[in-house]
Amino acid sequence: MKKILAMLLCALLVVSCTAALAERVGVSMPTKDLQRWNQDGANMEAMLTEAGYEVDLQFASNDVKTQLDQVENMIAEGADVLVIAAIEGSSLGEALAMAKDEGIPVIAYDRLLMDSDGVSYYATFDNEMVGTVQGNFVKDALDLENADGPFNLEITAGDPGDNNARYFYKGAIDVLQPYIDAGKLNVVSGQTAFDDVATPTWASEVAQSRAENILSSYYADGTNLDAWLCSNDSTAQGVVAALDANYNGNWPIVTGQDCDIVSVKNMIAGKQSMSVFKDTRTLAAQVVKMVGQILAGEEVDVNDTETYNNNVITVPSFLCEPVFADINNYTELLIDSGYYTEDQLK
Ligand code: BGC
């Protein structure tokens, strides 16, 4: 009898220890306002739970202080690994120092965490390649190699607080600058430098009001606009809204990134010409794999150890490949793959 009781006690202990030992992953996302972060968060939560982890998923309403508090709470509540998509790459220093002190590994998700040695890994899509794909699209659509031009172009870039934004801009401008220099592409507003074309917090309204100003100042006299290079879908949506209300010429080429539902609908309606598909399922799966490798003490899967220096360290990174999307391939890419249903795009 005693033996049975002892065995039962042991079994009980093992069960409760295993439950207590379920490893905890804190996942901090910037905001629920943008479709992509909801998907990133939901995919990661589902995959991490499926892999047997406890998940603490928080969204920070695009407020830097809220994100800092949320990450500090995750640390206080015993996170074993943190996955963070920062609102502003350089604003989480205090929390990252705390994580480092406590030996908690941190994976920067999609956006690099800057100015800190408390970052262990970075997982993202190849950000410069996103810009290259956008730049090449404009180049090919206007046939810049062969056509005489000149063509008129405007540019809208991303948030200066997001390290990705300069990579997107660089990838695209490197393709287009030679044509600007040669006079084949004319930026009528004269606004080409990153700081002049950036969009704080990537807000559609900010992109829209800058586009409205440009359209009324430089295009109201009937000047034709051939292309508007936008770094992502939220800024493209702002630009499209401005064009809808303030522009009567031939509809320009408009680029984007993320394949947001609104932007895919705009693509179907002929108002946005392309987007860059960054399948959030791919990135989430990669991060879940990295979390598992970290916690098992295994070698962590990275494919770039040179590109992403955060001003303190070069962060070992895994870069997923972004994919070009337009009206011709969106069905296969987005519907056949199960990313969206046909109804969501109606
Ligand atoms: C992401 C983009 C996104 C943008 C705005 C960037 O850091 O890489 O996919 O469109 O933030 O949220």
Side-chain angles (χ1 to χ4, degrees):
M1 185 63 185
K2 256 191 191 163
K3 208 169 164 193
I4 294 178
L5 269 177
M7 276 168 68
L8 272 176
L9 201 69
C10 262
L12 214 77
L13 266 172
V14 169
V15 169
S16 57
C17 284
T18 322
L21 280 181
E23 282 150 318
R24 214 177 148 84
V25 185
V27 179
S28 169
M29 292 283 122
T31 174
K32 279 197 157 184
D33 292 352
L34 232 74
Q35 185 197 317
R36 76 150 292 181
W37 303 115
N38 287 295
Q39 277 171 227
D40 284 290
N43 285 333
M44 218 150 15
E45 186 174 40
M47 289 182 199
L48 286 166
T49 308
E50 165 83 27
Y53 302 109
E54 239 179 76
V55 186
D56 181 3
L57 168 65
Q58 308 276 344
F59 293 86
S61 316
N62 251 341
D63 181 63
V64 170
K65 174 79 176 62
T66 304
Q67 187 166 41
L68 187 63
D69 290 346
Q70 288 177 341
V71 175
E72 288 181 352
N73 275 338
M74 288 173 186
I75 297 171
E77 278 166 27
D80 294 294
V81 179
L82 291 168
V83 178
I84 305 174
I87 296 165
E88 208 176 75
S90 54
S91 299
L92 294 172
E94 267 172 52
L96 297 176
M98 256 171 89
K100 192 178 176 214
D101 281 351
E102 308 232 351
I104 304 169
V106 176
I107 302 177
Y109 185 92
D110 194 80
R111 299 173 170 173
L112 187 57
L113 293 157
M114 305 300 290
D115 306 319
S116 166
D117 63 355
V119 194
S120 320
Y121 298 98
Y122 179 35
T124 190
F125 283 88
D126 187 328
N127 294 306
E128 189 162 337
M129 195 191 288
V130 169
T132 309
V133 170
Q134 294 166 334
N136 278 333
F137 183 83
V138 173
K139 176 182 151 193
D140 293 344
L142 296 177
D143 193 16
L144 291 176
E145 268 306 280
N146 304 304
D148 290 335
F151 298 101
N152 292 335
L153 168 79
E154 296 297 336
I155 304 168
T156 294
D159 182 354
D162 174 357
N163 188 57
N164 288 355
R166 284 172 206 273
Y167 282 93
F168 301 145
Y169 171 83
K170 180 177 185 305
I173 209 76
D174 281 356
V175 175
L176 299 178
Q177 192 66 47
Y179 302 102
I180 297 176
D181 293 343
K184 256 192 194 183
L185 270 182
N186 182 23
V187 182
V188 181
S189 69
Q191 299 171 24
T192 53
F194 176 81
D195 289 334
D196 295 334
V197 301
T199 311
T201 73
W202 294 96
S204 301
E205 309 77 59
V206 176
Q208 181 174 347
S209 76
R210 175 170 167 266
E212 281 166 357
N213 282 337
I214 289 176
L215 291 170
S216 63
S217 307
Y218 303 98
Y219 294 89
D221 60 357
T223 301
N224 200 64
L225 174 63
D226 298 292
W228 201 308
L229 174 78
C230 296
S231 282
N232 85 331
D233 284 350
S234 63
T235 54
Q237 287 158 26
V239 165
V240 163
L243 286 165
D244 258 334
N246 301 279
Y247 177 71
N248 297 315
N250 295 331
W251 196 266
I253 291 155
V254 177
T255 65
Q257 156 183 208
D258 289 338
C259 288
D260 268 12
I261 289 179
V262 175
S263 281
V264 179
K265 286 183 178 170
N266 280 347
M267 223 152 71
I268 296 167
K271 293 187 171 182
Q272 184 173 323
S273 321
M274 60 84 74
S275 191
V276 178
F277 181 43
K278 305 199 302 189
D279 192 328
T280 53
R281 297 169 299 190
T282 307
L283 186 56
Q286 179 59 31
V287 169
V288 172
K289 183 171 168 196
M290 289 163 94
V291 166
Q293 289 166 332
I294 291 173
L295 290 172
E298 291 166 5
E299 194 176 321
V300 177
D301 212 10
V302 294
N303 60 12
D304 184 310
T305 50
E306 282 164 20
T307 310
Y308 289 98
N309 186 288
N310 75 354
N311 301 327
V312 181
I313 52 169
T314 299
V315 185
S317 306
F318 191 96
L319 310 185
C320 303
E321 205 176 314
V323 177
F324 165 81
D326 73 356
I327 187 77
N328 298 313
N329 71 356
Y330 84 92
T331 314
E332 189 190 336
L333 217 54
L334 303 174
I335 298 175
D336 298 353
S337 79
Y339 199 71
Y340 294 138
T341 62
E342 219 162 340
D343 280 351
Q344 282 177 293
L345 301 178
K346 277 186 186 147

